[in-house]
Amino acid sequence: SLFHILMLSAGQVYPAPQVAAGFMAGEPPTEACAAEEVSETMRTFVDQFFPCAECRGHFLKMWEADSSKPNATTNRYDGVMWLWSTHNVVNTRLWQDRAADARWPSFESCTHCRANHEVTGEFIPSLVYQHLVHSYWSSEYATVDKRASYNWLFVVVGMFA
């Protein structure tokens, strides 16, 4: 969930901080980090803190080989969809010996996310994106004070990079 929230924050423009005594008014808005930076921070976080060595190794190998991972020109939509797709690759690998479809969102949680509203239908990316935003993003995150509460990950991971 945290990674999805961070990727949804990529490219968001936040209002300038509130004017306080001693500060000049009219500061420009601040922009959250880019999808590429979020992706690299996730990679560093998994490398430094993920407890399962096998899972960590698999993720790092997959991340390094992925030519579609976010880069300097990746926008919010493409970054969010990259993470969703990557997450589904991992879910499918982990649940491959089970009959159920391990991809997210499940048909039950988002019937309109699949073609023809069928359990086996392919995902409709634009509707999955809307579902991700609805599931993980809140307009409350778009305030400077709230944004600061999850910037801690970038600070902590940056110490180990």
Side-chain angles (χ1 to χ4, degrees), residues 1-10 12 14 42 76 79-88 91 102-106 109-110 113 127-142 146-147 149-150:
S1 294
L2 177 61
F3 285 172
H4 291 289
I5 292 169
L6 290 171
M7 190 58 81
L8 281 162
S9 75
Q12 291 293 297
Y14 298 91
M42 288 178 196
R76 179 187 194 212
V80 167
M81 296 310 288
W82 167 81
L83 179 58
W84 167 75
S85 176
T86 300
H87 200 169
N88 274 338
N91 285 347
R103 298 174 302 164
W104 190 93
S106 67
S109 69
C110 185
C113 288
L127 297 178
V128 169
Y129 178 80
Q130 290 174 10
H131 188 69
L132 283 160
V133 171
H134 177 75
S135 298
Y136 292 106
W137 191 250
S138 168
S139 60
E140 291 180 17
Y141 298 150
K146 294 285 184 182
R147 188 180 66 148
S149 69
Y150 60 80

Side-chain angles (χ1 to χ4, degrees), residues 1-12 14 31-46 48-49 70 83 137 141 146-161:
S1 294
L2 177 61
F3 285 172
H4 291 289
I5 292 169
L6 290 171
M7 190 58 81
L8 281 162
S9 75
Q12 291 293 297
Y14 298 91
E31 185 172 308
C33 55
E36 178 182 34
E37 185 178 356
V38 173
S39 160
E40 290 171 358
T41 301
M42 288 178 196
R43 184 228 169 270
T44 303
F45 183 84
V46 169
Q48 298 295 321
F49 300 107
L83 179 58
W137 191 250
Y141 298 150
K146 294 285 184 182
R147 188 180 66 148
S149 69
Y150 60 80
N151 276 345
W152 67 269
L153 180 62
F154 297 104
V155 173
V156 170
V157 173
M159 294 186 308
F160 295 94

Side-chain angles (χ1 to χ4, degrees), residues 22-70:
F23 291 92
M24 296 181 61
E27 290 184 50
T30 57
E31 185 172 308
C33 55
E36 178 182 34
E37 185 178 356
V38 173
S39 160
E40 290 171 358
T41 301
M42 288 178 196
R43 184 228 169 270
T44 303
F45 183 84
V46 169
D47 184 37
Q48 298 295 321
F49 300 107
F50 216 70
C52 172
E54 181 181 350
C55 300
R56 180 176 54 247
H58 185 266
F59 175 84
L60 295 173
K61 183 178 177 183
M62 185 175 76
W63 192 89
E64 295 298 334
D66 187 354
S67 62
S68 68
K69 67 181 167 272

